[in-house]
Amino acid sequence: MYTEDKMSKGIKNICCIGAGYVGGPTMAVIAKKCPNIIVTVVDINEKKIDDWNNSDLTKLPIFEPGLDLIIKKCRNKNLFFTSDIKESIAKADMVFISVNTPTKTSGVGAGRASDLKWVEESARTVVKFAKGKTIVVEKSTIPVRTAEVIKCILDTSSDKRGEKKEFSILSNPEFLSEGNAIRDLENPDRVLIGGDDEKSIESLFNIYKEWVIPEKILCTNIWSSELSKLAANAFLAQKISSINTISGLCEKSGAEINEVAKAIGMDSRIGSQFLNAGPGFGGSCFKKDILNLIYLSDFYKLPEVAEYWEKVLEINHWQQNRIVEKIVSTLFGTLNRKKIAILGFSFKANTNDTRNSPAIKICKDLLGEGANLKIFDPKVDSKQIEKELNSKELDFISDENKGSWEYAESIYDAVQDSLGIVVLTEWEEFKSINWEKVSLLTRDPIWLFDTRNICNINEARTNNILVWNVGL
Ligand code: UDX
Ligand code: ADP
C-alpha cells in the first residue's frame, strides 16, 4: 500500500497496461535500469502475453533490436508479463497506460480524432482494482486534454464507491522511434513529465534519474506535455514532407536530392536528420498526431493552423501517388498481369510494424492497376500482409483487371520473372543485393524503382537494370 514516504522516495511496483510497441520496450528498459522495482506488463490479449513469455526469444510479439537481450536478463526476475490485470493493478504504486489510440473510424471526429475507448477502459480498470494511492501515467500517444478524461473517470468513480482511493495523473509521452526503441529509451534526448502533483512528479523523476541525467528530464504542466508530443511528431513529419516536395523538384530540375539534403542539413538550424526523401512517412504516430492537431485547431477555431498541418498530410499522399504514377508510366502505361517485386513492407527498417506503412497504399494502387505482386520483407510475415491488403477498396474493380499478390521467401524469390522491382523499406540487406543474380532472374527490360535511395545503382546499371530513384 502507498505511503507518503513511498511516493517521494521510491516506487516499488509498476504495472503497465498494454504490452505493445510502446509498453513492451519501455517497461523492459525500466526493469533493466531499476532492478529494485517490480515491473508487470498486462494486456487483454492473452496470446500476446504468451508470446512475451515465450522461451524462444525470436517469437516475441514485436521485433526491436536489443530487446531480446533485455527480456532474457530481466524476465521473471523483476519483469513480468501476465493477463492477471486485477492483481497487477492492486499491488502497483504506479500504473502506466500504454494502450492503442487509433484514429476514430466512425462517429463524431471520424478520420481525425483519436479513439479513446481503450484509454477510457484502462482508466475504469484502474479505478476498479487499485488500492490506496496510485499514480497513473499516460504513456500512449493521446490528444491534448486526455488527462482530464482519465482524471474525471478516476475521481468520480472512486468517490461514488465511497472507497478510499486516491489518484494522481502524470503525462509522460513516449518519444521512442521504432527500430531504435532500446537506444532511444536508454539514451533519450529528453524525458518529459507533465503534472501538477509535485510528489508524483518526483517519484517518476526518480525512476528516470537512475539512467538519465537530471538536465534532460523536463517537468511541465500536463497540457504542455501532451501538446509537446503532438508538436514534436508534427514537426518531424513536416520535415519529411518538406524534403519530399524538394525530391519532386529535383527530378524535374536536374538537382540531386542527396546533394540538396546534405547542403541544407549542414545548417545547424535545420539539422541533418529526417531529410531522407522516400515513399512518405508511415507508422502509428505521425498521421494520427497531425490529425489530432488538425482536430484540436478546428475545435479551438484556428482554421489556418488546421490547414497548415493538413498540407503536411496531403504532401505525404501526393508523394505516394506520384511514385505509383511513375511506376505505371515507366512500365508503358499498364501493369495488367505484369510481375512486380516489392521489397520491404514494414513502415521503416528494423521493425515488423506495418501500421500506416507506405507499402500498403502503394501495393493497393498497384493491385488496382492489375499488377501481380511478389512481396518480400525480412520481418513482416504473410499473415500480416494479408491483413493489410485484404480490403474492400478494390472490390469495384472486376476480377480480370484486379491484380494479385503472393508472399516471397527471399529477395531472389520475389524478383523471379519480374519486370519491375520496387524498394519500399530501407532494410540493410537491400543495400547489398546481388544485381548480377537479379538480372539473370528477371525479364527484360527490367526496372528498379528505389524509393529509399539505398541500392547500389551503379552495380544495378552495370547489369543492365534500368533505375529510377526518388529525387534524382
Ligand atoms: C516517431 C517519432 O520519431 C517518435 O519520436 C515518436 O515517439 C513516435 O513516432 P516512428 O514512427 O517509430 O517514431 O519512426 P520514425 O523514425 O520517426 O519514422 C517515421 C516515418 O518517417 C517512417 O515511415 C520513416 O521511413 C519515415 N522517414 C523518417 C522518412 O521518410 N525520412 C526520414 O528522413 C525519416
Ligand atoms: P502502441 O504502439 O501504442 O504500443 P499497440 O497496439 O502495439 O500500440 O499496443 C497496445 C496494446 O494495448 C495492445 O496489445 C492491446 O491489446 C492492449 N490493450 C488495449 N486495451 C487494453 C485494456 N483495456 N487492458 C489491457 N490491455 C489493453
Side-chain angles (χ1 to χ4, degrees):
M1 183 86 81
Y2 161 81
T3 63
E4 282 280 298
D5 189 46
K6 198 186 233 179
M7 184 71 102
S8 57
K9 287 230 176 83
I11 295 288
K12 294 279 171 250
N13 268 290
I14 288 177
C15 171
C16 173
I17 306 181
Y21 283 94
V22 172
T26 308
M27 292 304 123
V29 169
I30 290 182
K32 178 181 164 191
K33 301 291 183 182
C34 307
N36 295 326
I37 298 180
I38 304 288
V39 180
T40 309
V41 189
V42 299
D43 204 292
I44 36 172
N45 182 337
E46 289 186 16
K47 161 89 172 67
K48 203 174 251 188
I49 292 296
D50 289 346
D51 289 346
W52 278 109
N53 283 320
N54 200 318
S55 53
D56 179 352
L57 292 172
T58 63
K59 301 260 164 45
L60 294 178
I62 66 173
F63 170 72
E64 194 61 67
L67 177 62
D68 50 353
L69 293 179
I70 303 180
I71 298 293
K72 192 171 166 199
K73 183 177 155 95
C74 302
R75 194 174 55 191
N76 298 331
K77 295 194 179 83
N78 69 327
L79 175 65
F80 299 89
F81 295 91
T82 172
S83 306
D84 188 351
I85 299 182
K86 179 178 172 183
E87 179 61 24
S88 311
I89 291 178
K91 64 174 202 258
D93 316 304
M94 184 177 269
V95 177
F96 284 79
I97 299 183
S98 292
V99 296
N100 29 330
T101 50
T103 305
K104 275 180 91 171
T105 50
S106 60
V108 177
R112 303 198 300 164
S114 277
D115 192 340
L116 290 180
K117 73 176 172 216
W118 292 274
V119 171
E120 203 183 311
E121 186 55 36
S122 302
R124 291 184 201 285
T125 310
V126 173
V127 87
K128 195 163 158 199
F129 300 130
K131 292 206 161 81
K133 189 158 182 174
T134 311
I135 302 170
V136 177
V137 185
E138 39 172 49
K139 195 66 167 153
S140 318
T141 304
I142 29 91
V144 178
R145 299 200 83 87
T146 301
E148 210 161 37
V149 176
I150 300 178
K151 192 167 172 28
C152 178
I153 293 170
L154 295 176
D155 287 350
T156 51
S157 314
S158 153
D159 283 346
K160 210 159 137 192
R161 287 158 190 241
E163 295 164 24
K164 243 183 151 275
K165 297 187 183 192
E166 222 183 296
F167 298 101
S168 113
I169 298 173
L170 298 177
S171 156
N172 174 220
E174 191 46 77
F175 293 107
L176 66 84
S177 133
E178 285 176 33
N180 299 312
I182 303 303
R183 186 201 66 190
D184 291 348
L185 284 161
E186 294 197 326
N187 215 341
D189 285 345
R190 79 311 207 178
V191 169
L192 192 50
I193 302 176
D196 51 22
D197 177 45
E198 280 184 17
K199 283 195 170 140
S200 304
I201 293 174
E202 195 186 335
S203 299
L204 189 54
F205 189 97
N206 286 340
I207 292 175
Y208 283 110
K209 218 177 61 182
E210 291 294 321
W211 76 97
V212 182
I213 54 166
E215 292 72 28
K216 284 190 171 183
I217 308 177
L218 307 181
C219 299
T220 66
N221 86 29
I222 203 152
W223 320 126
S224 303
S225 170
E226 289 184 338
L227 185 58
S228 300
K229 168 72 194 246
L230 299 188
N233 275 348
F235 269 59
L236 290 170
Q238 178 266 358
K239 212 170 168 188
I240 298 168
S241 278
S242 296
I243 199 71
N244 283 340
T245 63
I246 302 300
S247 74
L249 275 174
C250 283
E251 286 161 33
K252 301 281 182 203
S253 65
E256 296 194 6
I257 194 65
N258 303 340
E259 294 177 350
V260 176
K262 188 167 180 190
I264 61 177
M266 283 172 78
D267 184 327
S268 58
R269 293 167 302 175
I270 297 173
S272 59
Q273 293 188 54
F274 273 66
L275 285 180
N276 292 322
F281 53 79
S284 69
C285 282
F286 283 177
K287 185 174 174 194
K288 179 176 74 176
D289 288 354
I290 292 178
L291 287 170
N292 265 320
L293 269 191
I294 295 169
Y295 190 66
L296 198 70
S297 309
D298 278 339
F299 180 81
Y300 288 121
K301 306 266 178 297
L302 297 166
E304 291 80 2
V305 180
E307 273 168 38
Y308 175 80
W309 290 110
E310 259 161 22
K311 279 285 167 215
V312 173
L313 291 179
E314 268 176 48
I315 290 295
N316 207 44
H317 290 143
W318 167 80
Q319 182 77 346
Q320 289 165 11
N321 284 338
R322 76 183 192 88
I323 286 173
V324 171
E325 280 164 19
K326 190 76 208 176
I327 296 170
V328 176
S329 64
T330 306
L331 298 182
F332 312 112
T334 175
L335 300 185
N336 204 283
R337 303 287 162 257
K338 288 184 179 163
K339 286 195 176 164
I340 296 183
I342 301 293
L343 300 186
F345 200 84
S346 58
F347 80 97
K348 60 186 276 194
N350 289 326
T351 177
N352 58 347
D353 195 350
T354 59
R355 286 176 292 180
N356 283 317
S357 176
I360 301 170
K361 182 183 160 34
I362 291 175
C363 286
K364 278 184 183 167
D365 286 357
L366 297 178
L367 290 171
E369 294 286 337
N372 295 143
L373 307 180
K374 241 181 148 183
I375 307 175
F376 169 71
D377 187 286
K379 290 290 172 196
V380 182
D381 61 27
S382 61
K383 262 199 201 141
Q384 184 58 24
I385 297 176
E386 191 172 345
K387 208 173 116 201
E388 298 288 14
L389 291 186
N390 275 358
S391 76
K392 298 206 177 306
E393 283 161 49
L394 298 174
D395 279 359
F396 69 97
I397 302 171
S398 67
D399 280 348
E400 74 198 49
N401 289 326
K402 206 183 321 184
S404 65
W405 72 271
E406 59 182 303
Y407 188 69
E409 296 293 341
S410 68
I411 296 170
Y412 304 101
D413 178 23
V415 301
Q416 184 87 41
D417 294 327
S418 63
L419 284 164
I421 301 168
V422 188
V423 175
L424 291 179
T425 313
E426 74 284 22
W427 284 103
E428 198 58 32
E429 64 186 275
F430 300 159
K431 295 178 185 168
S432 52
I433 292 175
N434 181 338
W435 291 107
E436 188 182 358
K437 187 169 169 185
V438 169
S439 73
L440 295 173
L441 292 168
T442 49
R443 293 169 62 198
D444 286 331
I446 171 73
W447 274 91
L448 162 66
F449 301 89
D450 182 2
T451 72
R452 296 278 187 173
N453 290 351
I454 52 154
C455 295
N456 184 341
I457 53 168
N458 289 336
E459 200 194 309
R461 286 197 173 117
T462 309
N463 286 287
N464 296 323
I465 294 168
L466 301 162
V467 179
W468 176 83
N469 280 94
V470 73
L472 294 182

